[in-house]
Amino acid sequence: MKIDRARLEYLKKDAVQGFTRYLGLVPVSLKPGDFVTRIKLQKRHFQQDGFAHAGLIATMADHTAGYASYSLVPESRRILTIEYKINYFQPAEGEYLECHGHVTKPGKNILFTEAEVYSIKGKDRKLVARAMHTMASVPATRVSRSSSTPAESND
Amino acid sequence: MKIDRARLEYLKKDAVQGFTRYLGLVPVSLKPGDFVTRIKLQKRHFQQDGFAHAGLIATMADHTAGYASYSLVPESRRILTIEYKINYFQPAEGEYLECHGHVTKPGKNILFTEAEVYSIKGKDRKLVARAMHTMASVPATRVSRSSSTPAESND
Amino acid sequence: MKIDRARLEYLKKDAVQGFTRYLGLVPVSLKPGDFVTRIKLQKRHFQQDGFAHAGLIATMADHTAGYASYSLVPESRRILTIEYKINYFQPAEGEYLECHGHVTKPGKNILFTEAEVYSIKGKDRKLVARAMHTMASVPATRVSRSSSTPAESND
Amino acid sequence: MKIDRARLEYLKKDAVQGFTRYLGLVPVSLKPGDFVTRIKLQKRHFQQDGFAHAGLIATMADHTAGYASYSLVPESRRILTIEYKINYFQPAEGEYLECHGHVTKPGKNILFTEAEVYSIKGKDRKLVARAMHTMASVPATRVSRSSSTPAESND
């Protein structure tokens, strides 16, 4: 599948809407199967002990890997997360979170992805989490608010 | 360990701050090891196809299970998420998300938890996700913004 | 889909071959979407500390959930494990391991399953592990020793 | 912690006993935090479609990562698997399975590990699975057949 620059530029913008706009996600670079994003940490991102919330980190990993997947499927397809596992290596604090999401196994209906999340404070950069996801690529026509499940959409 | 009503009331309130306040999390009921929460769905919660974002659902599962854990540890301890796995059974839409988080295996330093997330639309209630987490209970004194990792905090 | 008794009897036997025969897996009961198996523990099942090996427990959970899935798909399909997550609640010892595998979300191409593994010693029965799996149902014609990947087989 | 050559040689041998001896696991090389193992595939390793059983692959990943962990803890400690997640990229066949297990985050009580499993057929080498584990390091004195759980052992 040919992936043109216009499509990648479109997806970089499309990645920021709704929930991810609300969270302050910023796209950094998108190559086929490989997406980098950032979030500038603010008080609204913290949990009770002053660290970036585990859910923020997971959202970033999921979304970044999801749009890395998007860049490898035809325009007629949508990506839905089927499942993932995330490990938290250390509490996240600092100025930014940066996430690298990449497709480890492409496929027509199922894509495996991984993502690393780093916390950045000046020149200090720490790996705070790593995730492994299974993504479903489904026909756009099946993804409507009255639609069936991701799993069923694979039918 | 005796768990008094005042402690549970405190934790119910404490569960809503920073990131979870920003997301609109509402505590419903907290019993020892068992927490129920809700989020009223709004546009800011959606992903690109109009479903509740997978990251919102994961955050809710993680946080609800985390505070279910809190209710079983002494006041001198804090809870940090070590890792989790989440399965998405179907895309989530509707008026509310409701999450049930519960401790399946308590322990002094490590607690296993599970959480189910339901979407609610009128009388319709669907299971949209299930998660299994590993939580670390760490001394509060070790959880400061200059602290070590959750894993190291188990030392 | 109609599931007849003969098919269930066939699958119960089919579940024990190759690796699972070598491990001593015994089918107990198979209902549509629900399979129970047992393994009588012997020294060859142990790890270095005298517990049932984590890998034995995982194999049992995976296989039992896999054949629970088999009972819900047409005879022309095969089941392959895409991924799973397993939690170990306590070291396993005793006379038997017993596993309950069940389909939590059926689908034409993707099935979600869960499994619990218990250790049994006389009247004592302990939950030692719980797993969540994603299974692929693929056409039998695509599963040959020169075949493509499970993910690709979903195409 | 100093890790001497004799300790590594001891662990390489210790890794093959009970269940892993029964499965035919062969240690290839062990460096601190990094272990490589092999299994020569035979009919007793196969599942119903003639592929290496997913449980064999998971056992290999778990055990190899477990002994990679062993090489980083004092002799007075034992390693128990708390949980893991494994992704299967493609069905495994060929002459050998080779596994690389490595510690991604050491810690006194909790270690995170990862493992890759490859199938090898002549010069052909394919990544068939990747796993992420959480390992508990527990005092040897607590690991006896009447002992408590891994989680409790962290107390």
Side-chain angles (χ1 to χ4, degrees):
Chain A
M1 196 183 77
K2 194 180 156 294
I3 303 158
D4 64 21
R5 176 176 291 242
R7 172 73 175 156
L8 293 175
E9 284 308 308
Y10 167 78
L11 287 174
K12 263 177 73 172
K13 282 175 193 152
D14 193 60
V16 182
Q17 60 178 295
F19 194 55
T20 50
R21 180 186 302 279
Y22 190 61
L23 300 188
L25 187 85
V26 175
V28 174
S29 65
L30 176 60
K31 292 179 291 187
D34 213 307
F35 193 22
V36 179
T37 60
R38 280 198 165 199
I39 289 177
K40 182 167 166 42
L41 286 176
Q42 294 177 284
K43 282 195 178 167
R44 59 183 162 108
H45 296 126
F46 296 162
Q47 45 78 284
Q48 58 278 358
D49 300 305
F51 302 118
H53 197 287
L56 177 73
I57 293 165
T59 299
M60 200 180 183
D62 168 57
H63 198 79
T64 305
Y67 270 80
S69 302
Y70 251 122
S71 72
L72 295 185
V73 300
E75 292 189 32
S76 60
R77 312 285 290 188
R78 294 290 175 271
I79 298 293
L80 292 171
T81 307
I82 290 184
E83 64 80 33
Y84 66 78
K85 153 81 151 112
I86 185 163
N87 277 12
Y88 295 95
F89 297 121
Q90 54 190 313
E93 48 184 335
E95 296 155 24
Y96 292 94
L97 295 180
E98 186 173 291
C99 180
H100 293 236
H102 38 104
V103 177
T104 50
K105 175 82 184 177
K108 196 184 157 215
N109 290 320
I110 299 288
L111 300 95
F112 285 117
T113 63
E114 293 186 15
E116 292 82 39
V117 180
Y118 301 88
S119 64
I120 298 175
K121 194 176 191 171
K123 292 185 176 177
D124 191 33
R125 180 189 177 85
K126 288 178 186 166
L127 178 65
V128 294
R130 191 194 321 265
M132 292 165 59
H133 316 79
T134 310
M135 303 287 176
S137 163
V138 300
T141 50
R142 293 206 194 160
V143 179
S144 72
R145 302 202 63 190
S146 59
S147 89
S148 62
T149 77
E152 284 166 6
S153 296
N154 281 312
D155 293 358
Chain B
M1 194 182 78
K2 196 181 154 294
I3 303 157
D4 63 20
R5 176 176 290 242
R7 172 72 175 159
L8 293 175
E9 284 308 308
Y10 167 78
L11 287 173
K12 264 177 75 173
K13 282 176 194 152
D14 193 61
V16 182
Q17 60 177 295
F19 193 54
T20 51
R21 181 187 301 279
Y22 190 60
L23 300 188
L25 187 85
V26 175
V28 174
S29 65
L30 176 59
K31 291 180 291 187
D34 214 308
F35 193 22
V36 179
T37 60
R38 279 195 165 202
I39 289 176
K40 183 168 166 41
L41 287 176
Q42 295 177 284
K43 282 194 178 166
R44 59 183 161 108
H45 296 126
F46 296 162
Q47 45 78 280
Q48 59 278 359
D49 300 305
F51 301 118
H53 198 287
L56 176 74
I57 293 166
T59 300
M60 200 180 182
D62 168 57
H63 198 79
T64 305
Y67 270 78
S69 303
Y70 251 122
S71 72
L72 295 185
V73 301
E75 292 188 33
S76 60
R77 311 285 289 189
R78 294 289 175 271
I79 298 293
L80 292 171
T81 306
I82 291 184
E83 64 81 31
Y84 66 78
K85 152 80 150 113
I86 185 163
N87 278 12
Y88 296 95
F89 298 121
Q90 54 191 316
E93 47 183 337
E95 295 154 25
Y96 292 94
L97 294 180
E98 186 172 292
C99 179
H100 293 236
H102 39 104
V103 177
T104 51
K105 176 82 184 176
K108 196 185 157 212
N109 290 320
I110 299 288
L111 299 95
F112 285 117
T113 62
E114 293 186 14
E116 292 83 37
V117 180
Y118 301 88
S119 64
I120 297 176
K121 194 175 192 171
K123 292 184 176 177
D124 192 33
R125 182 188 176 85
K126 288 179 186 166
L127 179 65
V128 295
R130 188 191 325 263
M132 292 165 60
H133 316 79
T134 308
M135 302 287 174
S137 163
V138 300
T141 50
R142 293 205 194 162
V143 180
S144 72
R145 302 201 63 190
S146 59
S147 89
S148 62
T149 76
E152 285 167 3
S153 295
N154 281 312
D155 293 358
Chain C
M1 196 184 77
K2 195 178 155 294
I3 303 157
D4 63 22
R5 176 177 290 239
R7 172 73 175 158
L8 293 175
E9 284 308 307
Y10 167 78
L11 288 172
K12 264 177 73 172
K13 281 174 196 154
D14 193 60
V16 183
Q17 60 177 296
F19 193 55
T20 51
R21 180 187 302 277
Y22 189 61
L23 299 188
L25 187 84
V26 176
V28 175
S29 65
L30 176 60
K31 292 180 291 187
D34 213 308
F35 193 23
V36 178
T37 60
R38 280 198 164 199
I39 290 177
K40 182 166 166 42
L41 286 175
Q42 295 177 284
K43 281 195 177 166
R44 59 184 163 108
H45 295 127
F46 296 162
Q47 45 79 282
Q48 59 278 359
D49 300 305
F51 302 118
H53 198 287
L56 177 74
I57 293 166
T59 300
M60 200 180 182
D62 168 57
H63 198 79
T64 306
Y67 270 79
S69 302
Y70 251 122
S71 72
L72 296 184
V73 301
E75 291 189 32
S76 60
R77 312 284 291 189
R78 292 291 175 271
I79 297 293
L80 292 172
T81 306
I82 291 184
E83 63 82 32
Y84 66 78
K85 153 82 150 110
I86 185 163
N87 277 12
Y88 295 95
F89 297 121
Q90 54 190 314
E93 47 184 336
E95 295 154 25
Y96 292 94
L97 295 179
E98 185 173 292
C99 180
H100 293 236
H102 37 104
V103 177
T104 51
K105 175 83 185 176
K108 196 184 157 213
N109 290 321
I110 300 288
L111 299 95
F112 285 117
T113 63
E114 293 186 15
E116 292 83 38
V117 180
Y118 301 87
S119 64
I120 297 175
K121 194 176 192 171
K123 293 186 177 176
D124 192 32
R125 182 189 176 86
K126 289 180 185 164
L127 178 65
V128 295
R130 189 189 327 263
M132 293 164 59
H133 317 77
T134 309
M135 301 288 174
S137 164
V138 300
T141 49
R142 293 207 195 161
V143 180
S144 72
R145 302 203 63 189
S146 59
S147 90
S148 63
T149 77
E152 283 166 6
S153 295
N154 282 312
D155 292 357
Chain D
M1 196 184 76
K2 195 180 154 294
I3 303 158
D4 64 20
R5 176 176 289 242
R7 172 73 174 157
L8 293 175
E9 284 308 308
Y10 168 77
L11 288 173
K12 264 178 73 171
K13 282 175 195 155
D14 193 60
V16 183
Q17 60 177 294
F19 194 54
T20 51
R21 180 186 301 277
Y22 190 60
L23 299 188
L25 187 84
V26 176
V28 175
S29 65
L30 176 61
K31 291 180 292 187
D34 213 308
F35 193 22
V36 179
T37 60
R38 280 196 164 200
I39 289 177
K40 182 167 166 41
L41 286 176
Q42 295 176 284
K43 281 194 179 166
R44 59 184 162 108
H45 296 126
F46 296 162
Q47 44 80 281
Q48 59 279 359
D49 301 305
F51 302 118
H53 198 286
L56 176 74
I57 293 166
T59 299
M60 200 181 181
D62 168 56
H63 198 79
T64 306
Y67 270 80
S69 303
Y70 251 121
S71 73
L72 296 184
V73 301
E75 292 188 32
S76 60
R77 312 284 289 188
R78 293 290 176 272
I79 298 293
L80 292 171
T81 307
I82 291 184
E83 64 81 33
Y84 65 79
K85 153 81 151 114
I86 186 164
N87 278 12
Y88 295 94
F89 297 121
Q90 54 190 315
E93 46 184 338
E95 294 154 26
Y96 292 93
L97 294 180
E98 185 173 293
C99 179
H100 293 235
H102 39 103
V103 176
T104 51
K105 174 83 184 176
K108 196 185 157 212
N109 290 321
I110 299 288
L111 300 95
F112 285 116
T113 63
E114 293 185 15
E116 292 82 38
V117 180
Y118 301 87
S119 64
I120 297 175
K121 194 176 191 171
K123 292 186 176 176
D124 191 32
R125 182 190 176 84
K126 288 179 186 166
L127 178 65
V128 295
R130 188 189 327 261
M132 292 164 60
H133 316 78
T134 309
M135 302 288 175
S137 163
V138 301
T141 50
R142 293 205 196 163
V143 180
S144 72
R145 303 202 63 191
S146 59
S147 89
S148 61
T149 77
E152 284 168 4
S153 295
N154 281 311
D155 293 356

